[in-house]
DNA sequence: ATCCCTTATACTCACAGCAAGTATATGCTG
DNA sequence: CAGCATATACTTGCTGTGAGTATAAGGGAT
């Protein structure tokens, strides 16, 4: 039957007018002094972004252009995060759709001179419940747990109640379940659904509700950050991406602190060192530094050769479960 | 400095005219009789697709609409694959960009009555080198290896030669390296770069080159299929997505054959059963079937409860390395 | 009925990965 | 010199898992 083919072509033609605007959004991450940071503009509430335009050679180069212009940073490693088109994102004047393509970029903080109107923020400012390096942060049990219980009990249906509480239990590791650092996005979605972040109650003119203390962001940028954190926490376990965040030369402890900063949890030192060395991810420079205090630490550099063959095996990092 | 902010706003305004067209492309996968299939239209060379339009509630619902209209299939599980904007994809008449957002959907083949002009194709028709269930297929060592050696040696620079051959070695497991089924995309990119598939030499009017025998597709659809295969092969190892492809009731061997079909390699049976059962992914229905021949096989169904808590641990499947 | 085939199911073994604990060496600082 | 922080080595024990083998149950051909 060729009707189908013809109808197809006609339908496709009929849609010609529905052009959309495409926005590129960058989540740029660096780690400095054991603190994972994201690059922001505005009131530390906006990610670098800009429209995809004709003169851009590709999506990635368009993104690089915007970030460079807005923050003065040259991006290195880039990977696509997610593409979305929310209903809320329709332009007011014309009925027009906006598609947002978000990217995750990894750099080093010192790389560029700070541009005006941009700065680095610890990502734990936006997600205070994600940093478990000094044990479970108080906000989890003191604030989130009771609020999420309230939220779960806020519905009639018993099944929904149970389902809500189960989701919270899994995501936050309540009731002796273990904390899974990779569930950052699920956790953000929970606190959003429960109306505990500013973004969720924006535009509503109800009485100011009791929010969980945390820094909010413009539009859905905080959601993008959550997506990026989750992606990064998962990826460091099987790809040597940490090195994109390291200076050319570093000590093993610095490397460990960086991974810990990203993962939001501590790592058993001997295991970490064994794993790094047996995988031959790094090589000694022959130098050592005394700046760390204590016994001078050997300096290492990343073995770029592994970028090739680590495609096979994957890099594993020992993230302690307990 | 507020220049920056002002300049930013102006730049953004100046780009207003650069609207783009957004295409949604669906890779719909099912497994039937131990054969992984993709849903195609046209001459079995096109994936269901259509433009994103104003009346679509969301990207996903737009995609569902197009697939349903073109193939009669209602999609269930959907996940985003990748978004790209190739330089080649510029409209001829107007200078306009086309963004393609691709999705991976998992269904069961029997679900819908076949629509005209659409059909299921084994994905190994497009990637004959990916099926290692009966050992390494001949095409790998007899055709691909010599052609890739030629390709690697086709450059002057010794470093490039070595790098090309190393990539090929890793991707295809030459020289006693082990085959990694997840590198489907890297392999396709290699054969593409080497000019061994029809898509790579399209539009060139050089003499017909010696291609590797395989079915080609329109535009870059075959690349999308490769991306989807890679994603799926990776994902079945840590998320229980296989069950989206299974009938409501099945035997353990059927389940194993499905996983093997996707992974393109065989699994050690006792290990597979142990892992499935100890993870409590399935439960017995109490029935058994004699249709399989031999001793009647117990029938199982998927435990939907695990969809929740498998967020934590992840589902693991025993894919033999050797 | 018997043999043989196929499939299902159970048990065992061995090794690698890895989390965790403990101990020691080294060099700085006060 | 004491005290401290770091680096580095050794050991232990659990678990996951790849792999082999054995047994049970039904169907079909002889």
């Amino acid at each position: 039957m060729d009707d189908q083919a013809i109808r197809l072509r006609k339908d496709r033609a009929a849609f010609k007018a529905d052009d959309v605007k495409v926005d590129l959004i960058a989540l740029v991450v660096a780690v400095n002094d054991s603190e994972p940071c994201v690059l922001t503009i505005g009131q530390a509430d906006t990610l670098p972004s800009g429209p995809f335009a004709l003169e851009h050679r590709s999506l990635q180069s368009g993104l690089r252009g915007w970030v460079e212009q807005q923050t003065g940073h040259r991006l290195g490693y880039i990977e696509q995060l997610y593409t979305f088109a929310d209903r809320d994102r329709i332009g007011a004047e014309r009925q027009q759709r906006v598609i947002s393509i978000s990217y995750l970029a990894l750099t080093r903080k010192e790389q560029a001179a700070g541009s005006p109107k941009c700065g680095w923020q610890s990502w734990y400012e936006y997600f205070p419940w994600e940093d478990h390096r000094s044990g479970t942060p108080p906000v989890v049990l003191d604030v989130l747990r009771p609020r999420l219980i309230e939220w779960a009990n806020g519905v009639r249906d018993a099944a929904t109640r149970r389902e809500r509480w189960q989701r919270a239990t899994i995501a936050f590791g309540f009731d002796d379940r273990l904390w899974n650092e990779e569930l950052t996005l699920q956790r953000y979605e929970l606190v959003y659904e429960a109306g505990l972040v500013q973004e969720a109650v924006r535009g509503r003119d109800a009485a100011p509700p009791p929010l969980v203390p945390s820094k909010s962001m413009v539009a859905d940028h905080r959601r993008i950050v959550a997506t990026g954190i989750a992606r990064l926490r998962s990826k460091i376990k099987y790809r040597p991406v940490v090195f994109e965040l390291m200076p050319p030369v570093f000590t093993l402890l610095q490397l460990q602190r960086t991974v810990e900063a990203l993962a939001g949890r501590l790592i058993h030192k001997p295991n970490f060192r064994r794993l790094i060395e047996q995988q031959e991810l790094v090589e000694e420079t022959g130098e050592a530094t005394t700046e760390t205090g204590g016994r001078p630490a050997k300096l290492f550099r990343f073995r770029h050769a592994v970028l090739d063959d680590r495609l096979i095996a994957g890099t594993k990092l020992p993230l302690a479960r307990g």
Side-chain angles (χ1 to χ4, degrees), chain A residues 291-306:
Chain A
E291 291 172 14
T292 53
R295 170 173 169 177
K298 281 186 194 162
L299 287 171
F300 292 83
R301 80 170 68 88
F302 179 53
R303 283 188 59 236
H304 286 275
V306 300

Side-chain angles (χ1 to χ4, degrees), chain A residues 240 243 279-282 302-311 315:
Chain A
F243 298 101
Q279 286 182 116
E280 297 179 304
L281 290 173
V282 297
F302 179 53
R303 283 188 59 236
H304 286 275
V306 300
L307 278 185
D308 302 320
D309 36 76
R310 270 314 167 278
L311 280 173
T315 308

Side-chain angles (χ1 to χ4, degrees), chain A residues 179-224:
Chain A
W179 172 262
N180 183 340
E181 74 278 358
E182 291 183 35
L183 300 181
T184 306
L185 183 57
Q186 282 91 330
R187 284 188 284 269
Y188 181 68
E189 280 174 349
L190 269 177
V191 298
Y192 186 100
E193 278 185 56
L196 304 178
V197 287
Q198 203 258 322
E199 284 90 334
V201 296
R202 202 173 273 166
R204 302 188 197 165
D205 35 26
L211 300 178
V212 170
S214 61
K215 204 182 274 183
S216 67
M217 296 188 94
V218 145
D220 45 9
H221 285 196
R222 203 183 187 173
R223 190 174 203 286
I224 296 175

Side-chain angles (χ1 to χ4, degrees), chain A residues 223-272:
Chain A
R223 190 174 203 286
I224 296 175
V225 179
T227 309
I229 295 176
R231 172 77 62 88
L232 197 46
R233 284 183 172 180
S234 151
K235 198 148 195 174
I236 48 172
K237 290 178 190 163
Y238 60 93
R239 288 290 147 83
V241 284
V242 216
F243 298 101
E244 307 287 344
L245 300 163
M246 301 298 297
V249 158
F250 49 85
T251 73
L252 288 184
L253 191 61
Q254 281 164 1
L255 182 62
Q256 180 181 346
R257 294 281 175 254
T258 302
V259 174
E260 288 174 340
L262 298 176
R265 65 188 331 177
L266 298 181
I267 299 175
H268 190 69
K269 195 198 284 191
N271 291 343
F272 181 80

Side-chain angles (χ1 to χ4, degrees), chain A residues 22 38 42-43 66 70 74 87 115 121 125-126 134 211 250 255 264 276 289 291 308 318:
Chain A
V22 169
V38 303
Q43 308 304 310
W66 285 118
Q70 292 173 20
R74 272 218 138 78
R87 192 145 196 67
S115 195
Q121 313 298 324
E125 305 259 332
Y126 308 99
S134 333
L211 300 178
F250 49 85
L255 182 62
I276 294 296
T289 178
E291 291 172 14
D308 302 320

